[in-house]
Amino acid sequence: MKRNKFIAAVLTFAAVPFAPFAAIISKKSLIRVNKGFKIQAGEGRIHGHIKLKGVNSNILDVKISGKDTDGELAIFEQTSLSQGRGTPLHIHPTQDEIFYVLEGSYFFKVGEDKFHLTTGESIFLPKNVPHAWTQVSAKGKMTVTLQPAGKLEEFFVAMQSLDHEPSDTELAKIFSDHEMQLLGPPLKVE
């Protein structure tokens, strides 16, 4: 047992000089785009259409991936097909989020405040503030901007891969695995 502790201590101490390089290596795993690119209307970059399962059955198209920006920014277009459904109450500890409604109407809760949004309106959700939204109209479309990008893109891919409605425990783990904290149930429209 003492030998295992000694080896662990040596490995930990030996890794210290290389710690600054870990951030560089992980950042280099992202591929920053140094040339402009165009995404066609109705198309998604990298993943094609991401068809969500579980929280709602909306379709997400990655327009600007965090991989394009070294994780500094991500922009998604969401086609909303789940009237009366939305996200559970949650927080992003490190990302600010901006929604811009392209069509339809939505109901948001940000902290203690509640907002009705329609076409042409936008809303800012500061990092570390509990929030949720629900689709009010039969159909809708929004752009979602995150800064920094975080792991929301990977969250959407994980939700698409589900073959069942996740339990509350499973959903909380998926949120946690993607740098979000699940706080409560979905928002009811008022």
Side-chain angles (χ1 to χ4, degrees):
M1 189 65 162
K2 287 182 182 179
R3 180 173 183 253
N4 289 344
K5 286 183 181 178
F6 172 76
I7 291 171
V10 169
L11 290 174
T12 301
F13 179 74
V16 169
F18 299 103
F21 296 106
I24 293 169
I25 291 167
S26 67
K27 195 160 184 116
K28 291 295 180 188
S29 67
L30 299 173
I31 302 168
R32 180 160 184 95
V33 174
N34 291 317
K35 184 176 176 161
F37 55 86
K38 176 182 175 181
I39 305 300
Q40 296 289 346
E43 292 184 8
R45 182 167 167 72
I46 302 173
H47 310 284
H49 293 307
I50 299 173
K51 296 177 182 172
L52 299 181
K53 298 175 193 152
V55 175
N56 54 52
S57 59
N58 297 336
I59 297 173
L60 268 121
D61 294 332
V62 175
K63 295 299 185 176
I64 308 297
S65 172
K67 295 172 184 69
D68 296 324
T69 66
D70 285 338
E72 295 174 8
L73 174 77
I75 300 176
F76 311 101
E77 183 177 82
Q78 176 182 287
T79 302
S80 302
L81 306 171
S82 304
Q83 186 174 25
R85 294 186 74 185
T87 62
L89 187 66
H90 65 283
I91 61 169
H92 301 265
T94 60
Q95 287 94 22
D96 290 325
E97 211 171 2
I98 301 164
F99 288 80
Y100 176 77
V101 179
L102 297 167
E103 64 182 72
S105 58
Y106 297 85
F107 182 60
F108 279 80
K109 180 176 182 179
V110 184
E112 295 302 315
D113 299 316
K114 295 176 182 169
F115 304 91
H116 288 273
L117 273 74
T118 60
T119 302
E121 296 181 317
S122 57
I123 190 166
F124 175 72
L125 288 64
K127 66 183 173 185
N128 218 23
V129 173
H131 61 274
W133 61 263
T134 296
Q135 177 184 338
V136 176
S137 55
K139 292 173 88 178
K141 189 175 280 193
M142 299 187 284
T143 59
V144 184
T145 303
L146 275 99
Q147 197 275 320
K151 294 185 178 180
L152 195 58
E153 182 176 339
E154 292 80 9
F155 169 80
F156 294 143
V157 171
M159 293 302 287
Q160 174 179 253
S161 71
L162 294 175
D163 61 359
H164 61 283
E165 184 86 19
S167 68
D168 291 342
T169 303
E170 185 179 13
L171 192 58
K173 180 169 180 4
I174 295 169
F175 268 70
S176 176
D177 289 348
H178 295 93
E179 300 175 340
M180 296 180 285
Q181 183 182 358
L182 188 60
L183 299 175
L187 182 61
K188 295 196 183 305
V189 177
E190 296 177 3

